[in-house]
Amino acid sequence: MISENPEINANQARETLCGKSEVDKFEYGYASTLLTMAKMMKDHKVTITPTDNSLNSRQIIFYGAPGTGKSNHIETYTKDGNRIRTTFHPDSDYSTFVGAYKPTTKTVTVYEASGSIREEEQITYSFVPQAFLKAYVEAWKRKDGGDDSPYYLVIEEINRGNCAQIFGDLFQLLDRDDRCRSRYAIVPDDDMRRHIAKELDSCTHIEESIRTGKEMRLPENLYIWATMNTSDQSLFPIDSAFKRRWDWEYMPIEKGDKEFVIKIGNTKYDWWEFISTINEKIEGITCSEDKKLGYWFAKPANGGTEIGCKQFVSKVLFYLCNDVYKDYADSNDCIFKKKTTDGSEKTPFTTFFGEGHEERVREFMEYNGIMPLAEDTEDTEEEDATDDLAGLPKKERDYSKYRINGGDKQYGKGELVREVISYYCTQNPNMDANAVRTAWMSLDFKIVHLVETQDEFTTRTSGSSDSKKRAKPVPLSNGESIYVSTEVGSSNIQDFIDKVSTQDWNIRIEKA
């Protein structure tokens, strides 16, 4: 659109992209910001700093859809000892960003008429520095001490505050010269000047005008990094003069380094497949990138890999319903539907709660073409059945995944046991079924009928009404097969891991 209409303005862009509906999707400032970003990406004369080079940028804004890892990217390159973090919001202003006089308490000595002396707390007013001034002073102190390493002022959600109001005259400092210091100085007010002079009084290797607070310039070791979530609708406009003093880096939607899954009852879905599918539908109905889901939009609790049903509904589906599809509920492209014999029908958000809510979520997944992970369905059912038989309460069950010998692939409990035994067999190709069975069963595992020969498996299952057989075959190099038990759960997996670890088999098992 921009290539065909290079002179299009923000309102025209919004109207073209979103149609003539009553949906007021963006405020003017928001649309203007997005339009500028789009032109930056299209116009080869304007460079968006690549990730590899962004480390050297003194002022950069990382922007993108929610959950794309903007804050995490900053977290990777900064640490508590070399940064100050603040978050902008609609009530942020110059005093909350820079500093101001505030009431504080001070202990004073009081002389009574009777001659006694006591101490009491009295309210007094003093200058209290905020994030910017703290970072400014600390950076100059480090510079004076010969430390040129970066010191970061991190601003989260920079577009949720009124930047013109918050930065005020500090805006002038954002212009950097070839040394990466402020090209132009500003003169601070008397309160700020006195505070700076007091804090930098012991410095001996910086200019007198800086040390005494007569003027302010950003030192080259002060980096200001910010994040911008482009999905927010309650934004303040950012004018072009402010924008051009920053580098911009777009954070694309990419698969993260964790294998997240969505767990609905005993059914699991791949998280990346879900967001990839839903993001295509979002783009189709909104003509927008900013409403899409990033990989880190939802994070499993306690550092795990499973996004539970409650979290999925309350965070993911609520966002999609309230922020993305609220104005498209009656559209043929709405995702909140379920299949019926006559076609489809709408699924109100309230049906994802209460009795039958897990089934409603599965119907939602099916309607949108998101299929369960076939590899886990049967194993998970066996796992729950094993723990039910062992009397292990559900709240004490652990649905973690495991890795073998530091590999990338993650395994559920039943699959882990089969894979470990299969690996053992490939490392010992001369062993027949009886020898493998003897080696494993001699360790007295808690897993029942852990390894069986073909004859043992046939004898156990021939008269059984259990269609699941409770074991799966593992082929050997000599053409035989052994059968590995699927009766694995939280109640017996640790015993298996502990006993395998005591053997000299070169097999290392660890949680993913």
Side-chain angles (χ1 to χ4, degrees), residues 1-38:
M1 180 193 72
I2 293 170
S3 298
E4 298 172 358
N5 304 280
E7 302 304 319
I8 194 169
N9 64 37
N11 281 334
Q12 291 169 338
R14 177 177 62 195
E15 200 169 85
T16 301
L17 290 173
C18 299
K20 302 288 186 177
S21 72
E22 296 300 319
V23 180
D24 187 13
K25 190 160 181 291
F26 309 118
E27 296 180 23
Y28 175 79
Y30 179 54
S32 177
T33 298
L34 289 181
L35 184 64
T36 299
M37 291 178 186

Side-chain angles (χ1 to χ4, degrees), residues 423-443:
Y423 176 81
Y424 172 86
C425 294
T426 60
Q427 298 302 305
N428 297 276
N430 296 325
M431 295 179 71
D432 62 14
N434 278 310
V436 173
R437 178 204 178 279
T438 300
W440 282 87
M441 295 303 287
S442 65
L443 296 180

Side-chain angles (χ1 to χ4, degrees), residues 106-112 115-122:
K106 180 180 179 182
T107 302
V108 298
T109 302
V110 178
Y111 298 89
E112 302 283 0
S116 61
I117 301 175
R118 62 181 176 84
E119 292 185 342
E120 68 175 30
E121 297 288 326
Q122 289 187 355

Side-chain angles (χ1 to χ4, degrees), residues 339-352:
K339 292 181 178 179
T340 65
T341 54
D342 299 328
S344 65
E345 65 180 42
K346 288 196 297 186
T347 302
F349 182 71
T350 53
T351 62
F352 295 118

